[in-house]
Amino acid sequence: MITTEPVGEWFWEPSPVLDAAVSGASRALALVGEVRDVLASLGLIADGGTGAVELCELSAMGRPLFERRDVPVAAMAEVAAAVRLLPGQHLTVSLRLPGEWPEAGVRRRAEELFVVRVHLWGQGGAILVLSAYADPWLTQDLRERPQPEVAAGNAPRLAAALERISGLTGVEVDPGDETRHARPTADGFADLLAEGAAYADSWGTFEVPARWRRLMKLLPGGYGEGDYEATTEESVRYAEVRCGERLLGFLWASADGAAGYEPRSAAGDAAFGAGVPWLLRFRAARSGGAGASEALDGCLGRTEDGVSVGTVVHRAPSPDALAELSGRG
């Protein structure tokens, strides 16, 4: 299962950058690049990804002096070169990296499998953070189903990455706090089959509502009385939502009047924005007196802003089953 919040994080505190005002941005960029190379050498990440650079005064962390997001990795050096870090300031350089992993004989992919970031202070102190956003390293998936074979095929590469990054920085790794999903350790994650999970069905309990809230923030006015019911116990009909060949999510409706959109977690940020025009079409259809199933049929084969709804209608036993499908690589 793929998450929008980290399944786990690991921290390193390398030696301070003595000339942070002169070379801080370039050193931070070099460090995230070196970690990216480590992950790539172990087959943990794929080509692509984007970066971000943010510079703030320590006294006003919520108001960046300089900010660039969704920067292609190849353009990060040019962006970082425009930043001068002064005492009393804080610089963050990060990379969001896609990755792939084997699972049950299939190659799974997530557009944000890892995030690598370096926090650098004007006085020279630095912290490196690695965050993971999926569960193939765990002996039990985030819906509490055992997957020891999946973990056996993926966890050793994560352990090797953590060890190599410690060698790269010259300091031992500091595992982050236990999350809602798992407990990070110095060599990956604790064995959930032995320890048990902190929460039952953590993906369904936390991730599904978090995805809903994120989607509603993008929908003008949020969810309201003008929208179809968002939940049902009935089976659902659904169609794929795509941008070209890229699957972004699923538009669905039920016979008892519920309808909605499930963003496909593996597609990353694009999956959320792709659902907005179709939810607005649903809203307009309901305002015009159309039922949920009729509204879905009215979207089939249409295209909005380069995003299309398929013409083939599939069935799922419940919205929860569809949400799980959307949460996989």
Side-chain angles (χ1 to χ4, degrees):
M1 308 301 294
I2 301 165
T3 59
T4 55
E5 295 181 352
V7 175
E9 294 186 309
W10 300 267
F11 299 80
W12 294 263
E13 191 170 350
S15 300
V17 179
L18 299 179
D19 56 348
V22 177
S23 63
S26 60
R27 176 58 188 138
L29 181 62
L31 186 52
V32 296
E34 290 164 359
V35 173
R36 179 181 182 274
D37 290 344
V38 167
L39 299 174
S41 71
L42 292 165
L44 288 167
I45 61 170
D47 292 338
T50 60
V53 177
E54 181 183 278
L55 178 68
C56 297
E57 296 284 356
L58 289 175
S59 59
M61 294 291 286
R63 299 194 297 272
L65 300 170
F66 178 93
E67 184 178 31
R68 296 290 185 275
R69 297 191 178 279
D70 298 321
V71 179
V73 171
M76 282 289 287
E78 180 180 353
V79 173
V83 177
R84 178 177 173 82
L85 177 63
L86 300 176
Q89 294 180 340
H90 174 266
L91 174 69
T92 303
V93 177
S94 61
L95 297 179
R96 296 191 303 172
L97 302 170
E100 297 179 346
W101 66 93
E103 182 178 330
V106 177
R107 295 292 297 182
R108 306 287 187 182
R109 179 184 173 98
E111 293 306 313
E112 185 181 285
L113 184 58
F114 291 101
V115 171
V116 183
R117 64 185 190 274
V118 169
H119 298 279
L120 183 61
W121 285 262
Q123 289 79 4
I127 292 179
L128 167 67
V129 187
L130 176 67
S131 306
Y133 289 81
D135 65 1
W137 349 97
L138 305 182
T139 54
Q140 178 176 284
D141 77 5
L142 301 186
R143 305 213 83 169
E144 296 188 285
R145 293 168 299 206
Q147 54 173 20
E149 297 85 1
V150 175
N154 293 288
R157 291 182 297 137
L158 177 60
L162 298 175
E163 183 178 9
R164 291 188 191 181
I165 296 170
S166 292
L168 179 70
T169 58
V171 294
E172 293 185 0
V173 62
D174 178 14
D177 294 336
E178 182 175 13
T179 69
R180 294 165 170 172
H181 305 297
R183 181 169 67 83
T185 66
D187 59 357
F189 288 98
D191 183 354
L192 292 183
L193 290 177
E195 292 195 0
Y199 296 93
D201 184 16
S202 64
W203 193 85
T205 301
F206 299 108
E207 182 63 20
V208 171
R211 297 196 316 169
W212 167 256
R213 290 191 296 270
R214 180 174 176 183
L215 183 59
M216 289 304 103
K217 286 182 179 179
L218 299 177
L219 188 67
Y223 176 76
E225 293 182 359
D227 298 299
Y228 294 110
E229 289 294 325
T231 60
T232 178
E233 299 297 324
E234 301 290 329
S235 64
V236 299
R237 301 165 62 238
Y238 70 93
E240 295 178 345
V241 176
R242 292 180 176 269
C243 181
E245 295 299 314
R246 188 180 180 192
L247 178 60
L248 298 177
F250 306 101
L251 197 65
W252 64 270
S254 67
D256 64 348
Y261 170 76
E262 283 294 340
R264 182 170 172 264
S265 298
D269 292 345
F272 290 86
V276 171
W278 307 110
L279 291 175
L280 291 176
R281 277 187 174 271
F282 275 3
R283 182 176 289 175
R286 189 175 189 275
S287 177
S293 292
E294 184 182 353
L296 175 63
D297 291 340
C299 294
L300 300 178
R302 292 183 176 272
T303 299
E304 289 269 2
D305 299 326
V307 178
S308 302
V309 178
T311 58
V312 178
V313 177
H314 308 271
R315 289 189 178 275
S318 67
D320 181 70
L322 186 58
E324 177 164 334
L325 176 64
S326 72
R328 293 197 164 275

